């Protein structure tokens, strides 16, 4: 799951016009089972995607940008904004 999450975050960064040096804050809303599969990779995701703060949540968060995705049949919502 982590590789797919990184890919989706990178696509969101590109869609909002960020460059590699730009740092973001990201919140991921997903079911608990998916979070368990991803959270062990949190530091790697932060490093590879230029994330200052990565938070997993169960409720929506009104950050500036949002993408709704499906990974292996599980819904995931990624919110991001430039820090």
């Amino acid at each position: 799951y982590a590789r797919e999450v990184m890919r989706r975050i990178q696509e969101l960064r590109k869609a909002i016009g960020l460059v590699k040096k730009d740092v973001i804050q990201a919140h991921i809303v997903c079911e608990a089972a998916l979070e368990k599969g991803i959270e062990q990779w949190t530091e790697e995701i932060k490093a590879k995607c230029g994330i200052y703060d990565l938070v997993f949540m169960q409720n929506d968060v009104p950050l500036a940008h949002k993408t709704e995705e499906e990974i292996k049949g599980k819904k995931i919502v990624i919110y991001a904004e430039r820090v």
Side-chain angles (χ1 to χ4, degrees):
Y1 295 112
R3 178 175 278 163
E4 284 297 315
V5 169
M6 286 189 274
R7 189 172 70 78
R8 307 299 166 84
I9 292 170
Q10 294 291 33
E11 287 174 357
L12 179 58
R13 287 177 58 92
K14 184 177 180 181
I16 60 179
L18 298 177
V19 295
K20 188 173 182 173
K21 68 177 181 164
D22 292 330
V23 178
I24 63 169
Q25 171 183 342
H27 291 235
I28 297 176
V29 179
C30 61
E31 18 180 293
L34 184 56
E35 181 180 337
K36 278 188 172 185
I38 300 170
E39 70 182 352
Q40 67 185 6
W41 301 100
T42 299
E43 292 305 313
E44 184 175 348
I45 293 169
K46 287 169 66 175
K48 291 192 177 199
C49 296
I51 300 172
Y52 169 75
D53 186 26
L54 177 62
V55 179
F56 292 94
M57 308 195 72
Q58 298 299 317
N59 301 314
D60 287 344
V61 177
L63 291 180
H65 305 281
K66 168 184 173 182
T67 184
E68 295 183 32
E69 304 285 341
E70 193 170 299
I71 298 175
K72 298 182 182 181
K74 298 185 187 302
K75 182 182 173 191
I76 183 170
V77 181
I78 302 169
Y79 292 90
E81 67 183 15
R82 188 174 172 187
V83 177

